[in-house]
Amino acid sequence: MATPEKKRWQFGSGDMEKLLSEVASHKGESLWQDAWRRLKKNRAAFWSMIFLILFGATAYFAPILPLASPIALSLRTEAAPPSWPWEAPPATSEETPHGAAITSSFGSIMDNGWRHRTVASFSAKSDSGGGIPDEVGVALTELVESTSGRTAVLDRRAPIGAGAPTGLYLGVPYNTEDRPRTDWEPTGVHGKATILRTKSTQAWILFDAPIDETEFIAWRVELHGIEGHLVLEDGAGALVRYSFPLSEAFDGKVLGITFNGRRLEASGRVDSPTAADGIAAAPHELPEISLKAFFGDIAGQLLDASAATGSVRVMSETDKKTELLFERAEVRTIEEEGLVHDDLGKRLERGLLALDLPSGVNVTLVETTSENGYWELGSFDMLLLNARAKMFGLWQTGNWLGTDSKGRDILARIIWGSRTSILVALVATLCSLLIGVTYGAFSGLMGGRIDNLMMRIVDILYSLPFIFVVIFLITIMNEYRTELADLGIGRDTAFYVVIGAIYWLTMARVVRGQVLSLKNSEFIEAARVIGASTPRILFNHLVPNVLSIVIIYLTLTIPAVMLFEAFLSFLGLGIEPPKVSWGTLAVDGTEAVNPVKIYWWLVVFPAMAMGSTLLALNVLGDGLRDALDPKMRGKD
Amino acid sequence: MLQFLARRLLWFAITMFCVVTLSFFMMRAVRGGPFSNERSLDPAIERNLQAKYHLDWSLPRQYFQYVGPFNLDEHRASIFGGDGTDTFGGVLTLEFGPSFKYKDFTVDQIIGQSLPISSLLGIVAMMWALSLGISAGVASALRRGSGLDLTLRLAATGGIALPNFVIAAFLIILFVFLIPLFPVAGWGSVRHMLLPGFALGAPFAAYIARLTRTGMLEVLSQDHIRTAHAKGLAPRTVILRHALKGGLLPVVSYLGPATAGILTGSLVIEKIFYIPGLGSHFINSALNRDYTLAMGVTILFTILVYSLNTLVDLAYTLLDPRIDLDSI
């Protein structure tokens, strides 16, 4: 048998080039490519990721979905079970769709759902079974205005069934400067004037036709007879700023000062002046004494009796000065809002007793809502809301997942709640990331005594019962709410930071351990021997290796933070109404558990949303841990 | 061992000092005192109240009075009915002073009443968590890849993902209203303890099941288990005597955080099931500015967490001879 000829391999002349070109053309897999490949193979983790992306997108673009408003109340006293229709727009504005209280036009999508806060809901029932006379609404409006210190807007809802009470909602506008938009045809000019915005002493009016001062005065005299300063703001008469003296407010019609719902007619002003009268009755002639009484009135209602005395030396001053002082008074009342509305319900009830209502009409106060904090929508959300109105018109989902005991749609609340919860989780996790990585990396890189000391501090913090620290911090934060608001820090922001400040400990430990072990590892030494610069070592070798462990930890922190938010909300320390989060939803569900009737949809649906998201996050976290684990690299 | 304990004690002292000092001064730095909610209190009455609780003293003096061990109050008799002015008092003698809101009670009395209830609830929850978690973990490790394993793992992930008050709501709907097995709320008999204990322990059971599964899988693939099988030992003996000991190590190290978590979780569970434990006291006292009660509860919890962690570390060495205590 012939043995195969053995040929000795020798390093030939062409071999070096071949090897080099092989090295050059070899495409290795980076850590990330490898991880991504393995993550795709892990089916559970991959689908979890898809689910989370879809869910996050739904939550982020929630305003564009034709959902009911998550905060609009209805007069239901009982939670409605899930039902599956779409809700068509009501035929007339008086008609109420079944279930959650909604919308008769796009304006009222915004107004009912977002821009107006319902301050008080009354339920009115006539003994004779007939309609409720208008004067009841007027009387209630006045009551709410004088109690809350805001211009109130009345919204009537027709009874849901025969013999059911009529709902009367009184809302105050989104913020003090906003009054409902009023359009009308003035007689003095041709074209249309729109009041854009009114303030206590100023109005911004948009004319769609060019206007000059004489025309404007004519128009003004025709309609209101209010003396004031005219500033053409936007060239030749497109936008007019119209400021008028202290004694006036501009509310579509002459009401005197509607501030606080008190009218100034009592002080001797001409009530509805004709054209000539208005100017002749120069408002500056208001007697000082009545103004004092007026301010005293505001003060008595909104502040303590002592608070407004400083503001009443204005009559002889110029308009500008007057304006300033008036605004000061306004600012102070807003500051004191908490005080006013703490007992808003009680005062409304008392006022209702004293109210002179037509006989045969029974009015009861159903609910008052706290005045602190509107749900502010950013401009992006407003854009989405507009798009929604264009796309879906007034169509919206019925109560697919039922309503809670206040008639708010559960589906909408879950989606909007996930928005809040996801935001809290992301921001708080980022906070913890920022603190933890900086602290841990610094400690690990410094090493030695500094490292030791820094880690001892972490140890001490670890042994504190941190939930108590959080509760304590949030109590403090509530106490300094106004100061924080002055600094531009909302309660929410502070809330995120507090949670983030708690969760950084583990992150710091993990990062420090990783940095410490990497710092002395062979491949870093090898890189140094090759002659890599410090930034290159830092960013090309250290950062990617630390990053993987940071990402793993992040995906596990996010669900933990979400749970923690729910926990805090349960204790009443978390997100505050009217905002919703999963925590508040879970609390609502838990509170609705009672032996008489089981409102299962209040417990099951929020729990399902929360459970599935957290489950997906956990699965994704585990998958990422497997995928990014360097030990597993190259294996399948 | 002794060195370890001594070092732990030293750190304990430092931690306690930080907790007491920080919480004392922070609490008093915040605006609004314990009596600021009571509107229009007569100035004289307010002065008397403040004098009674030493709020009119300078802060350092208040602090030393609070920490002890010497009593700085010359009129001690007026509060406690005692007579000595130089008796010991303060936190160092475990005397937390009178509560500001529950005016007839001292903090020690309140803690004495509610701590046994809370700890009983915690023990029940821990028992649930350990028994369910370990058995589920062992079962799914032994039947790896089977339907049982999948179901148990899914249940475990669900248990981790849901907050305990949602679990509690489900449990109440199921086992109180639909199938009336348990009373809805209250405290006293064993039947009262089972449901809240389970709700409290469920997330921890889930986590323990996970840890047990991982630990067991690792141990089961090791040589000494194969040797045990080869010797002809019964499978039950192999698992109970040989595998479980190593497989439970991660669980043991988790017991410290788990206990802290159960303490925290009991705040919520006590609220749902109307259990008169410590949880409600903590939250209410923080909100009410009941300085002494809030601090008493905080200190108590810190002591509990710290000593339990130390115990866990000790137990760790008993299970794993490779670990040297003095190196921790």
Side-chain angles (χ1 to χ4, degrees), chain A residues 152 304 470:
Chain A
D304 283 331
V470 170

Side-chain angles (χ1 to χ4, degrees), chain A residues 76-146:
Chain A
R76 289 181 160 275
T77 49
E78 197 189 22
S83 56
W84 300 89
W86 278 77
E87 252 167 34
T92 68
S93 61
E94 283 286 304
E95 202 172 290
T96 310
H98 182 75
I102 304 304
T103 75
S104 49
S105 67
F106 170 60
S108 58
I109 289 182
M110 309 239 299
D111 286 350
N112 284 336
W114 302 106
R115 287 170 71 78
H116 283 102
R117 284 268 293 145
T118 305
V119 162
S121 333
F122 295 93
S123 147
K125 199 171 176 182
S126 169
D127 283 348
S128 57
I132 305 297
D134 284 342
E135 56 193 279
V136 175
V138 174
L140 289 178
T141 312
E142 274 180 22
L143 174 66
V144 169
E145 283 184 346
S146 64

